[in-house]
C-alpha cells in the first residue's frame, strides 16, 4: 500500500467510463494531483457490459450538447492516447410507427436544428435505403443521425484512463473504499484497503471526492452521510450468432416497440426496456467483478418479438426462449434514478461530488459528464446548464429508498413512451400536500406534481360551454382544459386565489454584504421599524455566478438587519440553499413551516380588507405582518400574474383556516380558486421569466431583459449581451408553443423557444426566444410548431398592462 499517497487534490471513486472521464478532464484543467481508485479492474463494474450506443439527440439541449461533445471526443482519443476507443461512427436511425411518434420525431428534428445537430427526416423508402434488412411496412418515417454510432465500452474506459495517466493522474485498481471521513460537514479523507494488503486501511487526505461508483454510488454516498437516490435495475440484451450483418450497419431505435439494436461481430445486438423491470437488491452492489444475472428470457420476450418483426432475418435464431440460441445473453445491473436523468454535482456533504445514475447512457455521455464535472469542481460552474441533472434537484423525500424505487421503476418501464408536455406520472403520489389540499380535492381539482408536491393545475370548468376557447392544435391541446381561460379571466376581472405553498422558502442569517455578493440587486434597504406593525422591504433579484449567469431567480424580504426570507421556485430550494451556504450564509429551509396563498386581482383589496382590521396600504414590494381573521400572516405586495394583490404566508397549522376564510370572503366578489396553468398563462402576458427555461446559468440578466433588477456597479461588470430575450406573437392563435421549438430568422435557424403558451387576457399565442440584439420589435420570424413553420412577430413587452398600473394600483384611495 506504500504506493498510495498520503494526500491528493482529488480522489475519484470508480474506474468505469464516468470516473475515468472525470479524472481525465480534471487533469486537463490542471488538477494533476488526482488519484482514481477501483475495487476491481477498470470498467469491471457496469461499464464492461454496456451495449455502447451513442445517440446524440436527447430530450434536453444540455444532454444533447454533452453527447455531441462526447461523440466528438471519442474519435480523438486514438490520436491522444494511441489506444483505440472502439468508436463505430455508423450513424443511427430512430423509427416512428404511430402518428404520435412521428409528431415526436418532427418536434425532435425541429429542436435538433437549433443545436446544430446534423439529421435528416426520412420516409419509409428512405429508411429502407439506409438499412435494407428492415421491415418497414408499418414505419411512417424515421430520423437519420449520421453522427450517431456505438462504442466498445472497455476500450473507451481504458483510452480515457490512459489519457488521464498521461496528464499525471495516478490510477489504483484492486483498491476498495472502506470509508470517507467527514468533519464539520466537509470531506477530509478517504480510507482505502488494497486486495493484496495484509495490513489495515490507508488514509488519503483530500477535500474533494468524486463518487463515480455506478450502481454502488448509493452505498459509497452513505459512507459520508450523503443520500444518493441510485436504484440498481436489471437490464438485458442479447447478441445473435454471426450472420453476415455488415459492420457499417446503423444503430436502430424503435421506441414504439421498446427495442433497440445494432451490429456486433457480424450478428445483431438486441436490447429493450421491459414493462416489468426488477430491482437488484444487494447490500454491497458490485462487490464482485463483472456481475451478471441469470438470463430471464420471458421478460425479454416482447423486445425480442419486436426485433424479429423489424428484422425478419432474425427468425432462424428462434423464439427467444432459449439462451443457448444466442452468442451471449447479457443481463446486468444498471444505475437508474427516480426521474431517469443523471445525478451530477456536489452533495449535501461539502466536497463530496457524484457522477452516477446514467440509466444505460453512461457511454454516450461520458465525455460530456467528465467535462461538466471538471468545470464544476475546478471553476465553480459548468459551461452548460445542468440543473436537470443536479443531484440537488431532489428534496429530503429522496432519502426514502421506497420512494426512489417506485419512481425509478416507473421511469424505466416508460422509458420509451412519448412524454407529452404537461403529462403527469402517478408513481409514489401523493406525497407532499398543502394544508388546503383537502379542499382542492373536494372541488375536483386536476393535480400536477413537482418536487413531491401536489399542485393544482386547474379546477373543473364552470361555464355552460358556449364560451369555451378553441383547443390548441397538436401537443399543446393534449393536456388542456377550458377552465384555464375561466381562471385567467376571473383573476383579471375580480380575483384569483392560488395555492403556492410549494414555493421553497429559505430563512437566511448573515451579513447583507455577504448576500449582496451573490445578488444582482441592492438588498441593503432599511426595515420600516418606526411603524407598527413594521413594513419590510421586498426585493426581486437574481443570484449570479462568476460569469454573470443566473443561478437563481428569487424574492428576498429583509425581516431584520441580519435576517432575510428568500422565496424561490418549488424545485429549487435545495439548490439555492447550497449556493447560499457556499458563500458563508446560514440557511434554514422553512418551506414546510409556512402555507402560502396568493390573492391577486382588482378586488383583492376589498376581499382582504373584509377579513382584517390592519392597514393594507403599504406599497408595492413591501411586506407587513397582519391578521387575517384569526390567522397571523406575513402579507407581501408582490405578484407573478400582473394584477394587484399579495402573497400571504402563515404557519402551516393555520393554513386550512386561512384558505377557508379567503374563499368564504372572496366568492361574493367573483373570486375563484385558480391553478398553475392559469398562472403560467398570466405570467407569459407580463413577460415574467421562469428560471430553468427563460433564464439559466448560461444567460445573464442583461440578455434576459432584467437589467432593472441589477444594481449599477454589478450591471457594469456584466458582459455586453449579444442576444436578447424577445417576445414573439404567433400569427395563428391555435398554434401554441411548449418550449424548444426552432426559431428561424431570414430562413435560417437562430434560436429556440424558451417558453410559450396562450395568453387569455390578450387573446394571443405567445413565445419567448433569445435573438441577436440587433433584431428589433416589429421584425418577423418563423417558428416550427406541430411540424409546420408558423409566422410570428417580435413584439414589445409586456403585452398586458405595459405601464404596470394594475400591479401598483392603490384601490383604497
Amino acid at each position: 500500500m506504500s504506493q498510495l499517497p498520503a494526500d491528493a487534490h482529488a480522489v475519484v471513486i470508480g474506474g468505469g467510463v464516468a470516473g475515468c472521464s472525470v479524472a481525465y478532464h480534471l487533469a486537463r484543467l490542471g488538477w494533476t494531483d488526482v488519484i482514481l481508485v477501483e475495487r476491481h479492474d477498470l470498467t469491471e463494474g457496469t461499464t464492461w457490459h454496456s451495449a455502447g450506443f451513442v445517440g446524440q439527440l436527447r430530450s434536453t439541449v444540455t444532454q444533447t450538447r454533452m453527447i455531441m461533445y462526447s461523440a466528438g471526443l471519442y474519435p480523438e482519443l486514438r490520436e491522444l492516447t494511441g489506444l483505440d476507443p472502439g468508436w463505430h461512427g455508423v450513424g443511427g436511425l430512430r423509427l416512428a410507427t404511430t402518428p404520435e411518434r412521428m409528431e415526436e420525431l418532427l418536434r425532435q428534428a425541429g429542436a435538433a436544428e437549433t443545436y446544430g445537430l446534423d439529421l435528416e427526416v426520412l420516409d419509409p423508402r428512405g429508411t429502407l435505403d439506409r438499412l435494407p434488412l428492415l421491415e418497414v411496412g408499418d414505419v411512417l418515417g424515421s430520423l437519420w443521425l449520421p453522427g450517431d454510432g456505438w462504442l466498445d465500452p472497455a476500450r473507451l474506459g481504458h483510452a480515457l484512463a490512459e489519457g488521464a495517466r498521461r496528464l499525471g493522474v495516478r490510477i489504483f485498481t484492486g483498491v476498495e473504499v472502506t470509508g470517507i471521513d467527514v468533519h464539520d460537514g466537509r470531506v477530509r479523507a478517504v480510507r482505502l484497503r488494497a486486495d493484496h494488503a495484509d495490513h489495515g486501511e490507508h488514509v488519503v487526505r483530500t477535500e474533494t471526492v468524486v463518487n463515480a461508483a455506478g450502481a454502488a454510488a448509493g452505498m459509497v454516498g452513505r459512507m459520508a452521510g450523503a443520500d444518493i437516490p441510485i436504484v440498481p435495475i436489471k437490464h438485458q440484451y442479447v447478441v445473435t450468432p454471426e450472420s453476415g450483418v455488415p459492420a457499417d450497419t446503423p444503430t436502430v431505435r424503435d421506441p414504439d416497440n421498446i427495442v433497440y439494436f445494432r451490429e456486433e461481430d457480424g450478428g445483431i445486438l438486441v436490447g429493450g426496456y421491459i414493462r416489468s423491470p426488477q430491482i437488484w437488491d444487494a447490500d454491497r452492489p458490485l462487490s464482485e467483478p463483472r456481475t451478471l444475472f441469470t438470463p430471464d428470457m420471458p421478460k425479454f420476450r416482447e423486445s425480442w418479438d419486436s426485433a424479429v418483426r423489424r428484422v425478419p432475418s432474425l427468425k432462424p435464431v428462434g423464439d427467444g426462449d432459449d439462451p443457448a440460441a444466442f452468442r451471449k445473453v447479457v443481463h446486468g445491473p444498471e444505475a437508474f434514478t427516480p426521474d431517469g436523468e443523471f445525478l451530477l454535482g456536489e452533495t449535501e456533504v461539502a466536497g463530496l461530488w457524484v457522477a452516477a445514475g446514467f440509466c444505460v447512457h453512461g457511454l454516450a455521455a461520458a465525455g460530456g459528464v467528465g467535462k461538466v464535472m471538471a468545470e464544476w469542481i475546478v471553476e465553480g460552474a459548468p459551461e452548460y446548464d445542468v440543473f436537470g441533472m443536479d443531484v440537488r434537484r431532489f428534496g429530503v423525500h429522496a432519502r426514502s429508498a421506497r420512494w426512489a424505487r417506485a419512481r425509478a421503476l416507473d421511469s424505466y418501464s416508460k422509458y420509451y413512451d412519448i412524454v407529452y408536455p404537461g403529462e403527469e406520472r402517478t408513481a409514489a403520489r401523493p406525497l407532499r400536500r398543502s394544508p388546503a389540499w383537502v379542499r382542492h380535492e373536494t372541488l375536483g381539482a386536476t393535480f400536477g406534481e413537482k418536487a413531491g408536491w401536489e399542485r393544482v393545475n386547474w379546477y373543473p370548468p364552470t361555464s355552460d360551454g358556449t364560451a369555451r376557447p378553441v383547443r390548441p392544435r397538436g401537443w399543446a391541446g393534449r393536456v388542456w382544459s377550458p377552465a384555464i381561460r375561466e381562471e385567467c379571466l376571473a383573476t383579471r376581472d375580480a380575483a384569483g386565489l392560488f395555492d403556492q405553498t410549494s414555493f421553497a422558502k429559505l430563512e437566511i442569517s448573515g451579513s447583507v454584504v455577504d448576500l449582496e455578493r451573490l445578488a444582482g440587486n441592492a438588498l441593503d434597504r432599511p426595515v420600516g421599524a418606526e411603524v407598527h406593525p413594521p413594513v419590510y422591504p421586498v426585493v426581486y433579484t437574481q443570484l449570479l455566478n462568476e460569469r454573470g449567469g443566473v443561478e437563481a431567480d428569487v424574492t428576498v424580504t429583509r425581516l431584520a438587519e441580519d435576517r432575510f426570507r428568500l422565496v424561490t421556485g418549488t424545485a429549487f430550494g435545495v439548490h439555492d440553499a447550497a449556493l447560499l451556504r457556499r458563500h458563508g450564509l446560514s440557511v434554514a429551509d422553512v418551506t414546510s413551516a409556512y402555507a402560502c396563498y396568493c390573492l391577486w386581482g382588482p378586488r383583492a383589496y376589498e376581499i382582504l380588507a373584509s377579513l382584517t382590521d390592519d392597514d393594507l396600504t403599504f406599497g408595492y414590494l413591501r411586506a407587513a405582518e397582519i391578521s387575517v381573521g384569526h390567522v397571523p400572516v406575513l402579507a407581501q405586495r408582490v405578484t407573478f400574474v400582473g394584477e394587484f394583490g399579495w402573497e400571504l404566508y402563515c404557519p402551516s397549522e393555520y393554513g386550512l383556516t386561512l384558505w377557508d376564510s379567503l374563499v368564504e370572503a372572496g366568492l361574493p366578489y367573483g373570486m375563484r380558486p385558480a391553478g398553475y396553468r392559469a398562472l403560467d398563462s398570466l405570467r407569459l402576458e407580463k413577460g415574467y421569466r421562469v428560471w430553468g427555461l427563460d433564464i439559466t446559468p448560461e444567460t445573464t440578466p442583461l440578455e434576459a431583459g432584467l437589467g432593472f433588477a441589477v444594481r449599477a456597479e454589478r450591471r457594469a461588470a456584466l458582459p455586453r449581451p449579444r442576444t436578447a430575450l424577445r417576445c414573439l406573437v404567433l400569427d395563428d392563435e391555435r398554434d401554441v408553443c411548449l418550449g424548444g421549438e426552432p426559431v428561424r430568422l431570414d430562413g435560417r435557424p437562430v434560436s429556440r423557444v424558451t417558453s410559450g403558451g396562450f395568453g387569455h387576457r390578450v387573446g394571443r399565442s405567445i413565445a419567448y426566444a433569445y435573438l441577436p440584439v440587433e433584431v428589433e420589435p416589429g421584425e418577423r420570424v418563423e417558428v416550427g410548431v406541430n411540424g409546420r413553420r408558423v409566422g410570428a412577430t417580435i413584439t414589445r413587452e409586456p403585452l398586458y398592462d405595459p405601464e404596470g398600473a394594475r400591479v401598483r394600483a392603490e384601490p383604497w384611495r
Side-chain angles (χ1 to χ4, degrees):
M1 181 114 23
S2 59
Q3 66 188 73
L4 282 164
D7 300 271
H9 204 164
V11 176
V12 179
I13 301 171
V17 290
C20 292
S21 182
V22 171
Y24 171 66
H25 284 86
L26 282 172
R28 280 181 58 167
L29 292 183
W31 279 31
T32 55
D33 182 19
V34 173
I35 69 168
L36 182 149
V37 295
E38 165 57 46
R39 174 69 178 84
H40 310 297
D41 286 332
L42 294 179
T43 77
E44 288 194 341
T46 55
T47 291
W48 73 276
H49 62 68
S50 170
F53 281 68
V54 177
Q56 298 175 86
L57 184 58
R58 297 295 174 195
S59 59
T60 68
V61 60
T62 295
Q63 201 171 102
T64 299
R65 289 163 72 184
M66 287 169 63
I67 296 177
M68 289 174 67
Y69 170 84
S70 299
L73 172 67
Y74 299 156
E76 297 173 5
L77 281 173
R78 184 200 302 263
E79 181 178 342
L80 292 171
T81 67
L83 297 179
D84 180 5
W87 169 245
H88 301 259
V90 294
L93 287 166
R94 185 171 301 200
L95 309 182
T97 62
T98 64
E100 294 80 9
R101 186 71 66 179
M102 195 66 212
E103 282 186 85
E104 181 188 52
L105 292 192
L106 292 175
R107 282 181 57 84
Q108 291 173 328
E113 79 173 29
T114 72
Y115 308 156
L117 184 59
D118 186 18
L119 63 74
E120 183 181 356
V121 180
L122 303 178
D123 61 14
R125 180 71 250 180
T127 304
L128 186 63
D129 289 343
R130 285 288 178 188
L131 188 52
L133 59 79
L134 294 181
E135 166 55 50
V136 297
D138 62 339
V139 172
L140 302 181
S142 68
L143 290 186
W144 165 246
L145 295 112
D148 282 7
W150 61 277
L151 287 154
D152 180 289
R155 287 183 176 182
L156 173 62
H158 284 284
L160 286 165
E162 179 60 23
R165 283 193 189 97
R166 293 188 178 207
L167 293 174
V169 173
R170 287 170 288 175
I171 296 176
F172 301 93
T173 58
V175 174
E176 180 182 5
V177 177
T178 57
I180 300 173
D181 294 340
V182 176
H183 297 292
D184 297 327
R186 168 167 283 283
V187 166
R188 302 297 180 183
V190 176
R191 285 177 276 132
L192 306 170
R193 180 183 292 115
D195 286 345
H196 61 273
D198 56 4
H199 45 78
E201 295 176 324
H202 180 91
V203 177
V204 178
R205 292 182 296 269
T206 185
E207 293 194 350
T208 301
V209 174
V210 181
N211 176 2
M219 180 186 71
V220 171
R222 287 190 292 273
M223 293 180 181
D227 293 293
I228 298 173
I230 290 288
V231 181
I233 293 180
K234 298 179 179 181
H235 187 76
Q236 193 166 205
Y237 67 81
V238 301
V239 180
T240 68
E242 195 279 332
S243 58
V245 178
D248 62 354
T249 297
T251 65
V252 178
R253 290 173 176 80
D254 186 358
D256 289 323
N257 296 288
I258 62 169
V259 67
Y260 59 80
F261 50 91
R262 65 167 174 83
E263 181 272 342
E264 181 166 310
D265 295 330
I268 296 180
L269 180 154
V270 177
Y273 292 87
I274 62 175
R275 297 296 185 184
S276 54
Q278 184 179 358
I279 289 171
W280 179 35
D281 279 313
D283 293 334
R284 298 181 67 244
L286 304 183
S287 60
E288 297 297 327
R290 294 180 167 255
T291 297
L292 287 180
F293 313 115
T294 302
D296 190 344
M297 306 316 293
K299 279 188 177 291
F300 195 66
R301 184 63 182 268
E302 183 179 356
S303 292
W304 176 251
D305 287 346
S306 295
V308 172
R309 287 195 304 272
R310 186 63 58 220
V311 184
S313 61
L314 291 175
K315 288 180 181 178
V317 177
D319 58 11
D321 290 339
D322 181 9
F326 300 99
R327 184 187 308 169
K328 62 181 175 181
V329 177
V330 177
H331 192 199
E334 294 284 356
F336 273 75
T337 66
D339 59 3
E341 297 291 347
F342 300 172
L343 291 181
L344 306 178
E346 193 172 23
T347 68
E348 66 265 37
V349 177
L352 178 65
W353 299 75
V354 63
F358 297 118
C359 309
V360 189
H361 297 299
L363 260 73
V369 166
K371 167 185 162 64
V372 300
M373 288 293 295
E375 292 169 346
W376 214 340
I377 293 167
V378 176
E379 300 172 356
E383 177 185 357
Y384 308 147
D385 169 25
V386 294
F387 177 75
M389 308 174 204
D390 193 326
V391 66
R392 295 167 299 180
R393 68 187 181 272
F394 296 113
V396 294
H397 56 279
R399 295 174 182 170
S400 165
R402 293 189 180 190
W403 178 86
R405 290 177 177 188
R407 297 290 288 220
L409 286 171
D410 181 66
S411 178
Y412 181 105
S413 67
K414 298 174 181 176
Y415 199 84
Y416 267 165
D417 288 1
I418 298 171
V419 180
Y420 295 103
E423 190 173 65
E424 300 288 346
R425 295 283 173 86
T426 59
R429 292 177 58 188
L431 183 61
R432 306 173 77 181
R433 289 178 271 187
S434 155
W437 179 85
V438 291
R439 300 293 187 255
H440 307 326
E441 187 183 43
T442 299
L443 289 172
T446 296
F447 289 97
E449 180 267 343
K450 192 166 190 178
W453 283 98
E454 295 293 316
R455 311 193 310 175
V456 176
N457 280 339
W458 59 74
Y459 296 90
T462 59
S463 69
D464 59 10
T466 58
R468 289 190 177 187
V470 176
R471 182 184 291 269
R473 292 189 182 99
W475 281 21
R478 293 188 68 94
V479 185
W480 175 88
S481 171
I484 301 169
R485 174 179 172 81
E486 295 178 14
E487 293 168 11
C488 289
L489 298 188
T491 304
R492 179 195 68 186
D493 298 335
L497 181 62
F498 299 80
D499 185 349
Q500 297 200 262
T501 298
S502 67
F503 273 172
K505 313 165 195 82
L506 306 176
E507 294 278 0
I508 303 170
S509 300
S511 164
V512 69
V513 174
D514 292 336
L515 188 52
E516 274 193 342
R517 288 195 185 100
L518 262 178
N521 214 338
L523 301 178
D524 193 6
R525 305 185 187 195
V527 176
E530 70 281 356
V531 297
H532 184 77
V535 175
Y536 308 113
V538 181
V539 177
Y540 171 59
T541 187
Q542 291 75 45
L543 306 183
L544 306 180
N545 58 36
E546 292 183 359
R547 299 192 300 262
V550 179
E551 290 286 345
D553 186 61
V554 301
T555 57
V556 178
T557 304
R558 191 176 195 179
L559 301 174
E561 288 298 309
D562 59 353
R563 188 164 68 89
F564 307 84
R565 182 178 296 173
L566 180 148
V567 178
T568 187
T570 297
F572 310 144
V574 177
H575 169 275
D576 292 2
L579 179 67
L580 293 160
R581 290 182 184 120
R582 284 203 305 273
H583 285 76
L585 294 155
S586 176
V587 182
D589 189 332
V590 296
T591 299
S592 300
Y594 297 97
C596 174
Y597 307 129
C598 300
L599 178 64
W600 291 316
R603 308 204 73 176
Y605 177 79
E606 297 168 83
I607 295 167
L608 196 60
S610 73
L611 292 170
T612 184
D613 299 322
D614 293 318
D615 182 12
L616 298 178
T617 63
F618 53 92
Y620 182 56
L621 292 178
R622 296 288 187 273
E625 292 171 344
I626 65 173
S627 294
V628 179
H630 307 302
V631 177
V633 168
L634 178 69
Q636 299 197 159
R637 268 289 307 276
V638 295
T639 179
F640 199 56
V641 300
E643 302 288 354
F644 172 91
W646 298 269
E647 293 174 356
L648 304 171
Y649 295 86
C650 73
S652 289
E653 66 267 27
Y654 297 97
L656 185 57
T657 300
L658 179 59
W659 178 268
D660 287 345
S661 298
L662 292 167
V663 169
E664 182 179 2
L667 290 179
Y669 290 92
M671 184 205 80
R672 64 179 288 167
Y676 271 81
R677 293 303 180 80
L679 185 78
D680 195 52
S681 170
L682 295 163
R683 71 94 188 167
L684 278 167
E685 296 170 304
K686 285 296 292 182
Y688 294 147
R689 282 39 171 159
V690 171
W691 190 82
L693 297 176
D694 307 308
I695 47 179
T696 74
E698 297 183 44
T699 57
T700 72
L702 298 187
E703 293 172 317
L706 298 174
F708 66 89
V710 183
R711 61 189 185 274
E713 67 272 18
R714 192 72 189 266
R715 188 164 55 244
L718 292 174
R720 185 175 180 179
R722 292 180 293 178
T723 63
L725 189 62
R726 299 295 194 194
C727 177
L728 314 179
V729 174
L730 279 66
D731 293 348
D732 190 329
E733 67 179 36
R734 290 189 62 191
D735 291 315
V736 176
C737 293
L738 297 168
E741 292 84 357
V743 179
R744 287 175 167 253
L745 178 66
D746 297 327
R748 56 187 177 84
V750 294
S751 187
R752 58 186 168 274
V753 170
T754 59
S755 64
F758 190 82
H760 294 280
R761 290 177 299 189
V762 299
R764 297 178 182 179
S765 177
I766 306 165
Y768 284 84
Y770 283 92
L771 297 172
V773 291
E774 60 269 17
V775 178
E776 296 289 341
E779 295 191 44
R780 298 279 293 170
V781 295
E782 289 182 323
V783 184
V785 186
N786 300 321
R788 301 179 298 114
R789 293 184 188 175
V790 178
T793 301
I794 302 168
T795 308
R796 295 189 186 280
E797 56 169 327
L799 297 173
Y800 180 73
D801 187 25
E803 303 302 321
R806 295 175 75 94
V807 172
R808 292 178 172 81
E810 297 180 343
W812 52 84
R813 292 190 182 277

